[in-house]
Amino acid sequence: MLTSLGDAGALGGLAILFLAGVTFLADSASASSWRPNYDESKVPSYTLPDPLEMKGGGNVADAEAWRTRRRSEIVELFRKHVYGRAPGKPEGMTFKTFDLEPKALDGKATRKQVTVSVTGKPDSPSMDILMYLPNRAKKPVPVFVLLNFQGNHSIHPDPGIKLSTSWISKNYEGVVNNRATEACRGKAQSRFPVEKILERGYGLATIYYGDIDPDFHDGFKNGVHGALDKPRQGERPPDAWGAIGAWAWGLSRALDYFETDRDVDAKRVIVLGHSRLGKTSLWAGACDERFAIVISNDSGCGGAALSRRAFGETVERINANFPHWFCGNFKKYNDREGDLPVDQHMLIALIAPRPVYVASAEEDRWADPHGEFLAALHASPVYRLLGTEGLPTTQMPQVNQPVMGTIGYHIRTGRHDLTEYDWQRYMDFADKHLRGKP
Ligand code: GTR
């Protein structure tokens, strides 16, 4: 039932999110009276941990102290208490290009599909990277990489895209017995304006997140957990990686591949994600400094939103509804957000001095737009310490009025979704930082 909550956008936005909560409540006596708080005056008072205060006291004196000490302290806190500990690059990993079409999409793009085998052994989990690279652009090109919810075949009706054979939530249109059918092609295309991305000279790379780890709680047996976790004796450690940790790890493996592809500029890879996959892009960008720009679209609780505000989705709700997303230790902070040694502004700060963009949607109260803005704002002192501008405002902008410093932010009209408006702003932001356009 839990995965049937699915991706909020695909299932119809806030109403469903709220219903999802109610569905869950019916199963959980202890949660029977819980309702999300959407009242700003009822946000509890809180003090954020200071990203620039060293463990054991004392301030981070300069950029050098941030880079050599404080940054790794904070990464470690997130590993231990929130997302869990992921392994590094696996030995034996292989890349196999199984499709190369130089005249895809009426000649506009080169389409490539590459299978990444995690261990290189026959029983290894594997993920397929689908790429469209603009034929008119000079190579190597900067590339947006993002995970998708419904399979690579869902992002465009192009019949050349391999139909996924992985487990897919049955809630998506066209999925039969948890497998994709031809009817699934292009069903998520509103979130992937491929031609518009190509027109602006960017490449697009995407991977089905379920190739890395299927999004349901199976005790971490399937996906990359099953293949890479050490054989278990008893309980899994409370800081073992969850699904978000695994998805983020998969994005780093895609970057390993890009470093071998001469058409891709691996130094200009922009990692983007929507919703749970926005939580994932932030964690991927925090862990892997090879990502040049990091973008969070409507990522909410456990992503860009400050946990301590407990506005909309809370730590307790997310852990109850999605017990496999975070590490075991994160459950200790159910209804005790104030005890967390970190908050999400520190996750954004880990991306400094690289550009990061946080985006919210006006109707997406479940994800706490104001809390997402505040996390971006409170990451700014770290950006400034490192000699960059951070967020160029202290006031939450009006809807559809993006601000773009080294930290960017917008809140657009509409619901929880990844829209062309969002994409165009992300490309403006990438133009500014990767191509020096004003
Ligand atoms: C919701 C979840 C959110 C968000 C969303 C999504 O059900 O409560 O944290 O991640 O799913 O990924 O669509």
Side-chain angles (χ1 to χ4, degrees):
M1 182 203 85
L2 297 179
T3 47
S4 72
L5 304 183
D7 163 35
L11 296 176
L14 266 181
I16 295 292
L17 276 176
F18 186 66
L19 281 177
V22 174
T23 314
F24 176 77
L25 296 176
D27 289 350
S28 165
S30 65
S32 57
S33 60
W34 188 82
R35 292 286 176 276
N37 175 41
Y38 290 134
D39 181 346
E40 198 62 43
S41 73
K42 297 208 171 98
V43 169
S45 64
Y46 59 86
T47 308
L48 292 177
D50 184 347
L52 291 177
E53 190 182 315
M54 303 289 297
K55 217 162 120 189
N59 281 344
V60 176
D62 51 24
E64 179 64 10
W66 169 263
R67 270 194 291 270
T68 56
R69 288 184 56 198
R70 182 59 175 151
R71 187 180 186 284
S72 36
E73 273 179 16
I74 299 176
V75 173
E76 180 55 25
L77 290 171
F78 276 105
R79 277 192 194 121
K80 185 164 172 197
H81 299 277
V82 184
Y83 304 105
R85 234 168 261 289
K89 182 174 169 179
E91 273 175 38
M93 178 169 66
T94 59
F95 308 127
K96 185 165 178 259
T97 304
F98 65 88
D99 173 50
L100 181 57
E101 171 50 66
K103 291 201 163 39
L105 310 184
D106 299 326
K108 290 193 204 84
T110 296
R111 186 189 64 228
K112 288 189 196 183
Q113 299 183 78
V114 178
T115 299
V116 178
S117 166
V118 169
T119 65
K121 296 186 185 137
D123 63 347
S124 171
S126 62
M127 63 180 199
D128 289 339
I129 309 177
L130 164 67
M131 301 162 71
Y132 287 106
L133 304 177
N135 282 340
R136 277 178 46 199
K138 202 170 118 240
K139 305 291 173 317
V141 281
V143 165
F144 281 86
V145 62
L146 70 163
L147 302 178
N148 65 70
F149 285 92
Q150 304 187 48
N152 292 349
H153 55 266
S154 69
I155 75 137
H156 196 283
D158 178 355
I161 303 174
K162 179 185 156 189
L163 200 65
S164 173
T165 54
S166 298
W167 179 97
I168 299 177
S169 167
K170 60 181 178 346
N171 294 303
Y172 292 117
E173 225 184 310
V175 173
V176 176
N177 296 328
N178 294 111
R179 300 290 154 191
T181 67
E182 284 296 328
C184 300
R185 287 194 185 278
K187 285 288 182 273
Q189 61 179 316
S190 69
R191 289 184 176 177
F192 293 84
V194 179
E195 282 82 356
K196 301 275 166 51
I197 297 167
L198 296 166
E199 260 167 40
R200 291 191 61 168
Y202 290 95
L204 172 74
T206 187
I207 301 150
Y208 171 50
Y209 79 140
D211 280 2
I212 306 165
D213 190 29
D215 192 1
F216 59 88
H217 192 27
D218 75 329
F220 304 97
K221 292 190 198 70
N222 61 18
V224 295
H225 293 110
L228 298 177
D229 281 356
K230 304 232 159 45
R232 281 183 221 165
Q233 319 209 307
E235 293 286 291
R236 248 176 138 239
D239 61 351
W241 53 335
I244 292 174
W247 299 326
W249 177 93
L251 285 163
S252 285
R253 304 295 67 84
L255 196 39
D256 296 337
Y257 164 75
F258 298 144
E259 287 181 334
T260 70
D261 186 327
R262 279 206 243 137
D263 295 335
V264 173
D265 186 346
K267 297 219 164 353
R268 290 189 296 164
V269 172
I270 306 137
V271 63
L272 157 66
H274 169 62
S275 204
R276 70 197 66 183
L277 300 179
K279 310 179 206 301
T280 303
S281 61
L282 286 172
W283 181 230
C287 293
D288 191 334
E289 295 182 84
R290 294 175 298 171
F291 289 111
I293 298 184
V294 182
I295 302 172
S296 149
N297 191 82
D298 305 357
S299 62
C301 181
L306 292 176
S307 301
R308 278 169 173 75
R309 282 171 47 84
F311 187 103
E313 187 170 32
T314 62
V315 169
E316 184 171 29
R317 295 324 312 155
I318 206 166
N319 278 328
N321 287 337
F322 307 101
H324 57 296
W325 281 4
F326 299 90
C327 72
N329 279 335
F330 196 48
K331 278 114 193 137
K332 289 191 200 156
Y333 302 100
N334 287 346
D335 208 23
R336 289 181 44 208
E337 289 87 349
D339 292 346
L340 269 163
V342 288
D343 211 317
Q344 300 306 105
H345 62 309
M346 294 161 83
L347 180 65
I348 297 170
L350 289 176
I351 295 156
R354 293 164 294 152
V356 60
Y357 198 114
V358 173
S360 312
E362 191 180 23
E363 292 167 30
D364 189 16
R365 293 188 306 162
W366 181 245
D368 187 12
H370 191 208
E372 296 185 310
F373 169 76
L374 289 174
L377 179 66
H378 292 297
S380 281
V382 175
Y383 276 78
R384 288 198 295 269
L385 178 80
L386 301 183
T388 70
E389 157 184 42
L391 193 68
T393 178
T394 54
Q395 297 302 313
M396 179 131 171
Q398 298 296 306
V399 286
N400 306 331
Q401 300 288 324
V403 290
M404 296 190 197
T406 323
I407 304 179
Y409 179 82
H410 74 238
I411 174 166
R412 66 156 167 76
T413 41
R415 67 187 180 92
H416 185 75
D417 199 1
L418 173 58
T419 66
E420 193 190 325
Y421 175 88
D422 298 316
W423 271 104
Q424 293 294 358
R425 299 301 73 75
Y426 302 151
M427 292 190 280
D428 295 342
F429 191 64
D431 280 355
K432 174 180 162 87
H433 290 290
L434 300 180
R435 295 180 157 145
K437 293 195 188 161

